[in-house]
Amino acid sequence: MEKIAALVVTYNRKELLTECITCILNQSRPVEKIIIINNHSTDGTEKLFEEGGALHHEKCELHTMSENLGGAGGFSEGMKMVSKMDYDWVWIMDDDSMPTETALEELVKAKENLKDEKIGYLASAVFGINDEPINVPVINLTKSDNGYADWYRHLDDGIVRIRHATFVSLLIPVDAIRKIGAPMKDYFIWADDTEYTQRLGRYYGDGWFVGRSKVIHKCANTKAMTVIEEDNPNRIKNYRYFYRNSLINAKKYNPPGNSALHVIEYCGVSLKCLLGKNVKYRKEKFTAIHQGIQDYLFRSKEIRSQLDQNIKSGNK
């Protein structure tokens, strides 16, 4: 039987982390190891794994970072670790992801149903706490030889080919990490999963959505992410990373000229933030968007160079 390790990235959410790890330990298809990347939490997360702690378990392996690397950095470090270990697959998720009891079992079943396909990753169906859809992946509409998209090739098995997904319950071949590298740690937060799943799809194997594998995402906001409606002032500054990273992704994976169109689009969004009705934190949002655009245009050379190196390795 192939060996599967789970990988969870956490930061200052020990209650949610406890629930997440408990869900993983209670899977109908057990994992062999759970690797936890602690992004320099200050809430006593480490004590959970000490003798007598709620998560003191032989399968749990805690790695505490010397600083907060963001979600992107945490997943990057964790996947590098896994790539050097003796596992066949890695099941990744955030600390607020709560997989249902058969979530991993259904991913493994899907893997077996797709035995004739080159698999880049398998993604679970993600729901909010009120059973609303969240973290919905983007369907792959690449055309087949007759000109039609073939995304429903495995629909009878509840499996759909997708273009990219989020890091909320993905099952990834460890060999893929060895071939194309880890996620971009310099992205820090947001759009790192979009980049990585597109990289997997282009340079390793297709991504697949598995409808029977279900996960509850206990995030604070289950609405589609939009800076205009954002009402948490602590999150606004991070949109700088979202816009910078999204532009880098567009440059690498979209048709020529698409990133320039996005720059124009994002400038329009910034004006809506500044001039729209009932918009909170107008100047902060306007500033975050333009900082992201400027970072992409003038300060992202090193990041894009590293991404080029990862893509080059995927072409070998």
Side-chain angles (χ1 to χ4, degrees), residues 8 31 101 143 154 162 177 195 205 229-230 232 247 281:
V8 180
V31 298
E101 186 177 353
K143 294 180 180 179
H154 294 277
I162 54 178
I177 306 170
E195 186 284 313
E229 297 180 4
E230 181 63 66
N232 184 346
L247 286 169
Y281 312 109

Side-chain angles (χ1 to χ4, degrees), residues 282-300:
R282 297 172 183 271
K283 292 182 179 179
E284 292 85 349
K285 293 176 179 180
F286 179 87
T287 299
I289 295 172
H290 280 275
Q291 285 177 333
I293 294 172
Q294 290 174 28
D295 286 347
Y296 165 70
L297 293 173
F298 306 114
R299 290 182 287 273
S300 65

Side-chain angles (χ1 to χ4, degrees), residues 1-146:
M1 185 172 67
E2 291 183 309
K3 296 169 65 177
I4 300 175
L7 171 63
V8 180
V9 175
T10 188
Y11 177 67
N12 280 348
R13 293 197 289 200
K14 62 182 182 180
E15 289 81 11
L16 288 169
L17 176 64
T18 300
E19 186 177 355
C20 172
I21 299 300
T22 301
C23 288
I24 296 174
L25 289 171
N26 289 335
Q27 288 296 298
S28 57
R29 195 292 186 190
V31 298
E32 279 66 39
K33 180 69 71 176
I34 306 174
I35 298 167
I36 301 96
I37 301 297
N38 174 21
N39 253 333
H40 200 65
S41 295
T42 58
D43 64 348
T45 290
E46 295 95 335
K47 294 180 180 179
L48 295 172
F49 299 90
E50 296 174 356
E51 188 171 353
L55 297 179
H56 181 69
H57 194 282
E58 60 183 4
K59 287 189 176 182
C60 292
E61 182 176 307
L62 178 69
H63 296 269
T64 298
M65 304 293 102
S66 60
E67 61 181 319
N68 181 8
L69 304 174
F75 280 114
S76 181
E77 290 300 310
M79 289 166 74
K80 287 175 184 176
M81 291 178 189
V82 174
S83 71
K84 298 175 183 177
M85 299 176 180
D86 185 26
Y87 295 103
D88 301 292
W89 297 80
V90 60
W91 186 27
I92 71 172
M93 67 191 76
D94 291 313
D95 54 7
D96 57 355
S97 303
M98 311 302 162
T100 58
E101 186 177 353
T102 60
L104 180 57
E105 179 184 348
E106 293 296 343
L107 291 175
V108 172
K109 286 180 180 178
K111 175 175 67 68
E112 294 167 353
N113 287 335
L114 294 168
K115 61 181 181 295
D116 295 328
E117 306 281 358
K118 182 70 170 178
I119 299 173
Y121 61 93
L122 300 165
S124 298
V126 184
F127 299 89
I129 58 176
N130 296 312
D131 205 36
E132 67 271 52
I134 187 174
N135 300 101
V136 178
V138 175
I139 291 177
N140 190 325
L141 296 177
T142 301
K143 294 180 180 179
S144 58
D145 292 340
N146 69 346

